[in-house]
Each structure stands twice: as structure tokens, then as C-alpha cells.
């Protein structure tokens, strides 16, 4: 039946595979390399922070019990396991606290997928240089993000988690490049990975398994590349197959122009943003807007009668469901919770996402004062503004204050500088690593593309954390 359906875009998988396998390091723009090096540092930080969280530890325990050829580190433990199981744990850690980077259009967090894949392979093959890793990260991002772009928000609205589905292509292209796959092998790696991606969005309302979606996507990408190198075959037209292909199945109404248009000139890898709050990106603009009102007007929670939020339909569906303390994942994905915390405390930080904090009676009591709805003007702006928000805060004395944030802080349109990403990194690892190691990782990440090897990075992240600092 598959062969009887016309392809959505002939040879798309082949062209993406050729691009990933054959693009030279010298063809990558300096600005894209610089952006991905920041993403690499951010990825180290979120993976190390997430490695100590309960859901990651449970997966670590399963992997440890299973054993395996000890070639790749389980970060922060001093232990090693197989390549695929190391990625399973380390990529789960990267998505474990909603702090990994974000590409808005594809809805993929590439650093929690690609960074563990790249360093795992570099640990197994010490001939790989920092330039090899940088190139693989850029190309892995580019291929996976373009497939995610083509899937559009339809994939999400059909109930699938982009990180677990489209994300598998990020892992496969990154691994395939570092394994030196040729173009046909890379095509099969993508064809295998696309069959292995999975993840359902109902997980956002409380289940630990949302974190595992990244681990499985990274692991699937690694496995796909390892199999392709051994001659195992995948679906050669996985991306564009008219029936049973990735886009025709998961998205159903894809935008095929987003796959190849501008390939090699318009770099999606350079459009990755950073999260400056530890929660779902869709609520960041609303948090920025509310924070602005609170600071500029000197308002306290007691002075606020009502908060009205206008957002896109996508953000409304994603985050504006009735909140209940069903777990840390649910709190991180919910706009009512985030806005309530911001109102009470003037900011939102990791400390606001503990089992005790998410059921705080003061936070719950404030939520009825928050009203969220779809704003037609924002919705009409299209998918590029799906994170935008308009906030109106009404004081108890009747005065109102309005703020509109079209692009959240940390997005490519409203970027933070390198120092901002480094401060986030410091906060993520300061309790885990000695200050000398923290500074050294920042220095090495900034020079990643010039490093002869990445042994020192691997040695730092793979070592057991200082117990007295935990």
C-alpha cells in the first residue's frame, strides 16, 4: 500500500541524509557554530542538573542492573554502560526539569538529545575532535529541526510529543555523522529512527514518562545509526512516504516546503533559543509580561484583583488546563501555576517545583484570580507568535496595567547573551561540581570547535558528584 501512495516530496529523506553526511565543517557559518556551542554548554548544565532527579535515578537504576559494555559514562555517577543505555539515561536527565533549549517552530529541545549522543560516541572513539562534535551537533540539529518544522503543530495537536517523535531524527543524524556514515547509510539511519520515535502528550499532566521521551528519542537515534553502520536497513523514504511515513502518519497535514527550502543557507540550527524559567516554554512570555507589571508598578499579590491573559490557541491547549497538584511535571506545564507563583514571589525558579511547593495553599488560593483565554489578535499572527502573550492586571482599586510580550526572553528574537546562558549553567551545576570544574567546562565549551579531543569534558561530567556538595 505504501508504494501506491505518491510521495509527499520525492527524495526528501535522501537529500537530508546527503546533507548530514557530506556537508563539510568549513561550510558551517560562524554564527551558527557559536550558537550551537552555547547550546552545548546549556545542554551539559541541564543534563547534569537532571541526573540527580528521582525519575532519572529510576532509569539509571534499571540500566545499572542490566549492565552492559562500559564504554560511555552515566553522567555524575562515575559509572559506565553501553552507548545506547548511556544516552537513554543522560538524555532523560536533559529533559528532566524543563530547562533544555527550545526551537520554537519544530517544538524540539535538541541539546538534551544531541549532546549526550555526541559525548557518548566521543568517549567510545577518542579520535573524534571538538570540531567533529560541533559539526555533528549543527547537522543533527538542522536535519531534526527541519523535519519537526515540516510536521507543523499538527503533530502536537494530534497528541504526539515532538521531543519523542521528531527528536529521534536529531539523535540519528548527530550519531550518524560521528560514526562517519555515508549518505546511503545515513538515509537508513533516518529510516530506522523515524520508526522508533514515540511519545504522547497526555504525559504532560503529571506522568514521569514525559522525561523519558527525550531519553528514548536519543537512544533510538543512537541505535539507528549503529544499526545503519552495520548494514541494517530502514524505510528509505521515511520522511515523505505518502502512506505510513513519518509526516503522513504523525502530522497528516505537513508543510513539505519546510523540509528542504533554504537547506545549507537558512540555518534552523541557528534559531535555537534558551529557557530562562524551569517550565514549559509556552508560558514564558506570559511570565515575562506579568513580571514586568509587578516590578514596574511595585504590585504585591494583595493589591491584585484579577489577572487576564490572552494567548494563542496552541498555548491555551498546551498550558491552560485546570491545575491540580498531580506532580512536578504537571506544575511545570501549567500556566495557572506559573503565574500564581510569579504573582506571589516576583519570579519563578527551580525551588518552586518541589513536591511541597506545587501544593502550596497560598499558590492554589490565588489561581481563581487568573483568567486565561485565546486572544484573536495573537492567534491571527500565526505560528511564529504562538508563545506571545498579552496580560492585563487589575488592581483592587480599579486601576489596570497591560503588557504584551511577543517574544519571550531567551528566544532568538529576544535573545540572552552568552553571559546569561553561563549564569544559567552556573545555577544548574554549582551544587554538583567544584568551582574550578564549572569554570573549566565553560572555557572548554566556548572553544569546542578548536579542541583536539574532548577527554577533559568527558572526565568532568562523567565523574561522581562531590557528595558533600549535594
Amino acid at each position: 500500500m505504501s508504494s501506491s501512495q505518491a510521495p509527499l516530496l520525492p527524495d526528501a529523506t535522501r537529500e537530508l541524509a546527503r546533507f548530514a553526511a557530506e556537508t563539510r565543517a568549513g561550510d558551517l557559518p560562524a554564527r551558527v557554530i557559536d550558537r550551537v556551542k552555547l547550546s552545548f554548554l546549556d545542554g551539559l548544565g541541564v543534563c547534569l542538573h537532571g541526573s540527580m532527579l528521582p525519575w532519572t535515578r529510576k532509569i539509571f537504576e534499571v540500566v545499572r542492573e542490566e549492565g552492559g559494555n562500559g564504554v560511555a559514562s552515566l553522567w555524575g555517577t562515575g559509572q559506565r554502560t553501553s552507548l545506547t543505555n548511556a544516552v537513554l539515561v543522560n538524555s532523560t536527565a536533559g529533559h528532566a526539569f524543563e530547562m533544555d533549549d527550545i526551537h520554537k517552530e519544530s517544538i524540539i529541545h535538541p541539546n538534551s538529545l544531541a549532546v549526550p549522543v555526541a559525548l557518548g560516541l566521543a568517549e567510545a572513539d577518542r579520535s573524534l575532535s571538538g570540531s567533529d562534535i560541533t559539526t555533528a551537533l549543527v547537522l543533527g540539529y538542522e536535519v531534526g529541526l527541519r523535519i519537526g518544522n515540516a510536521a507543523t503543530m499538527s503533530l502536537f495537536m494530534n497528541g504526539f510529543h515532538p521531543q519523542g517523535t521528531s527528536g529521534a531524527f536529531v539523535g540519528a543524524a548527530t550519531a550518524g555523522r560521528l560514526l562517519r556514515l555515508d549518505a546511503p547509510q545515513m538515509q537508513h539511519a533516518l529510516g530506522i529512527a523515524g520508526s522508533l520515535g514515540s511519545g504522547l502528550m497526555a504525559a504532560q499532566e503529571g506522568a514521569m514518562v514525559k522525561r523519558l521521551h527525550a531519553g528514548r528519542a536519543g537512544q533510538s537515534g543512537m541505535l539507528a545509526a549503529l544499526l545503519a553502520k552495520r548494514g541494517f536497513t530502514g524505510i528509505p523514504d521515511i520522511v515523505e512516504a505518502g502512506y505510513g511515513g513519518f509526516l503522513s502518519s504523525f502530522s497528516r497535514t505537513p508543510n513539505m516546503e519546510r523540509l528542504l527550502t533554504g537547506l545549507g543557507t537558512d540555518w534552523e540550527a541557528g534559531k535555537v533559543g534558551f529557557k530562562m524559567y524551569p517550565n514549559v516554554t509556552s508560558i514564558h512570555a506570559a511570565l515575562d509580561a506579568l513580571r514586568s507589571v509587578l516590578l514596574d508598578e511595585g504590585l504585591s499579590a494583595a493589591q491584585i484583583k484579577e489577572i487576564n491573559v490572552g494567548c494563542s490557541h496552541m498555548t491555551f491547549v498546551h498550558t491552560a488546563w485546570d491545575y491540580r497538584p498531580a506532580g512536578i511535571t504537571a506544575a511545570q506545564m501549567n500556566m495557572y501555576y506559573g503565574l500564581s507563583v510569579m504573582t506571589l514571589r516576583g519570579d519563578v525558579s527551580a525551588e518552586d517545583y518541589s513536591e511541597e511547593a506545587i501544593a502550596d495553599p497560598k499558590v492554589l488560593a490565588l489561581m481563581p484570580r487568573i483568567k486565561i483565554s485565546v486572544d484573536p489578535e495573537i492567534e491571527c499572527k500565526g505560528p511564529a507568535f504562538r508563545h506571545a502573550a498579552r496580560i492585563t492586571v487589575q488592581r483592587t482599586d480599579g486601576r489596570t496595567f497591560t503588557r504584551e510580550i511577543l517574544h519571550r526572553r531567551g528566544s532568538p528574537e529576544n535573545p540572552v547573551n552568552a553571559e546569561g546562558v553561563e549564569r544559567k549553567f552556573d545555577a544548574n551545576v554549582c551544587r554538583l561540581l567544584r568551582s574550578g570544574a564549572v569554570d573549566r567546562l565553560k572555557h572548554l565549551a566556548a572553544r569546542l570547535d578548536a579542541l583536539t579531543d574532548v577527554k577533559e569534558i568527558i572526565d568532568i561530567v562523567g565523574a561522581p558528584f562531590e557528595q558533600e556538595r549535594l
Side-chain angles (χ1 to χ4, degrees):
M1 184 170 181
S2 175
S3 61
S4 68
Q5 300 291 320
L8 303 179
L9 180 64
D11 299 324
T13 307
R14 185 177 68 181
E15 291 304 311
L16 289 171
R18 181 183 299 162
F19 178 79
E22 298 179 358
T23 300
R24 299 171 300 177
D27 295 332
L28 308 183
R31 62 173 182 80
V32 176
I33 292 173
D34 288 343
R35 190 76 176 182
V36 168
K37 287 191 295 184
L38 268 183
S39 184
F40 174 79
L41 177 68
D42 185 63
L44 293 179
V46 299
C47 288
L48 291 172
H49 178 92
S51 68
M52 297 301 296
L53 296 175
W55 27 93
T56 308
R57 299 300 295 179
K58 292 179 188 299
I59 297 168
F60 163 76
E61 290 163 5
V62 170
V63 165
R64 181 179 60 185
E65 289 175 5
E66 287 189 349
N69 184 22
V71 297
S73 292
L74 297 163
W75 295 356
T77 71
Q79 299 187 40
R80 290 182 172 85
T81 186
S82 67
L83 279 170
T84 57
N85 275 346
V87 172
L88 176 68
V89 176
N90 295 333
S91 284
T92 296
H95 196 57
F97 208 65
E98 297 298 325
M99 290 193 292
D100 37 354
D101 61 2
I102 175 68
H103 181 266
K104 179 169 58 179
E105 185 177 356
S106 66
I107 326 177
I108 295 175
H109 313 273
N111 65 4
S112 60
L113 301 162
V115 173
V117 165
L119 285 189
L121 284 166
E123 190 168 5
D125 179 2
R126 294 303 176 99
S127 72
L128 293 172
S129 69
S131 176
D132 293 330
I133 290 171
T134 305
T135 301
L137 292 175
V138 171
L139 296 174
Y141 279 32
E142 192 68 21
V143 169
L145 299 180
R146 283 177 169 272
I147 295 172
N149 288 352
T152 75
M153 288 189 293
S154 296
L155 180 145
F156 177 95
M157 298 304 289
N158 287 336
F160 298 109
H161 188 191
Q163 185 73 354
T165 51
S166 307
F169 294 107
V170 176
T174 302
R177 178 70 186 208
L178 290 171
L179 288 167
R180 303 180 178 91
L181 302 188
D182 61 24
Q185 290 173 319
M186 184 71 80
Q187 188 172 351
H188 284 298
L190 297 179
I192 298 165
S195 285
L196 300 180
S198 63
L200 298 170
M201 280 310 305
Q204 73 176 359
E205 297 187 25
M208 289 183 183
V209 73
K210 180 181 184 293
R211 324 297 192 174
L212 182 58
H213 292 171
R216 285 290 286 171
Q219 183 189 48
S220 295
M222 176 72 86
L223 177 61
L226 291 170
L227 288 171
K229 189 173 181 66
R230 287 160 175 79
F232 195 92
T233 60
I235 302 169
D237 57 347
I238 184 71
V239 176
E240 72 273 17
Y243 170 79
F246 181 81
L247 293 176
S248 59
S249 298
F250 282 97
S251 173
R252 303 177 200 162
T253 55
N255 180 354
M256 301 306 291
E257 289 186 5
R258 300 298 294 131
L259 276 176
L260 302 179
T261 302
L263 185 64
T265 57
D266 183 11
W267 291 85
E268 297 301 316
K271 303 174 187 178
V272 175
F274 300 98
K275 286 191 175 187
M276 307 314 289
Y277 301 108
N279 47 37
V280 64
T281 320
S282 299
I283 72 172
H284 286 200
L287 292 174
D288 287 343
L290 179 57
R291 187 170 185 267
S292 173
V293 172
L294 296 174
L295 289 175
D296 293 349
E297 308 303 332
L299 293 179
S300 67
Q303 296 172 301
I304 295 175
K305 179 180 179 181
E306 188 170 280
I307 299 170
N308 283 279
V309 183
C311 61
S312 70
H313 175 70
M314 168 80 169
T315 292
F316 182 83
V317 170
H318 194 12
T319 70
W321 33 274
D322 291 340
Y323 177 77
R324 58 185 177 85
I328 292 171
T329 304
Q332 289 178 305
M333 305 299 290
N334 188 271
M335 189 186 297
Y336 290 103
Y337 180 83
L339 292 174
S340 185
V341 169
M342 179 66 78
T343 304
L344 289 167
R345 297 168 193 162
D347 205 352
V348 180
S349 68
E351 287 72 27
D352 298 309
Y353 295 99
S354 67
E355 293 293 346
E356 297 76 22
I358 64 173
D360 184 341
K362 294 180 181 178
V363 174
L364 300 178
L366 195 142
M367 290 183 190
R369 288 189 254 169
I370 301 171
K371 314 295 181 186
I372 306 172
S373 61
V374 175
D375 185 310
E377 291 184 15
I378 290 176
E379 181 65 15
C380 285
K381 291 179 182 293
F385 293 89
R386 66 182 178 83
H387 289 162
R390 181 179 291 119
I391 292 255
T392 299
V393 178
Q394 182 179 359
R395 281 180 53 130
T396 51
D397 64 7
R399 285 187 289 168
T400 61
F401 307 95
T402 298
R403 296 288 188 281
E404 181 182 77
I405 301 290
L406 296 180
H407 302 291
R408 65 178 183 85
R409 184 169 58 103
S411 67
E413 300 87 355
N414 184 14
V416 293
N417 57 21
E419 289 74 20
V421 176
E422 290 177 359
R423 283 194 297 272
K424 176 187 172 184
F425 176 79
D426 290 343
N428 277 331
V429 303
C430 64
R431 293 180 60 251
L432 307 176
L433 305 175
R434 295 190 183 278
S435 59
V438 174
D439 291 340
R440 190 63 182 157
L441 282 178
K442 289 190 288 188
H443 174 75
L444 292 168
R447 299 182 58 250
L448 180 63
D449 55 327
L451 299 178
T452 303
D453 60 59
V454 293
K455 180 181 184 301
E456 189 173 359
I457 295 175
I458 292 166
D459 288 346
I460 293 173
V461 301
F465 293 138
E466 299 286 342
Q467 291 301 309
E468 65 269 21
R469 300 176 68 85
L470 300 179

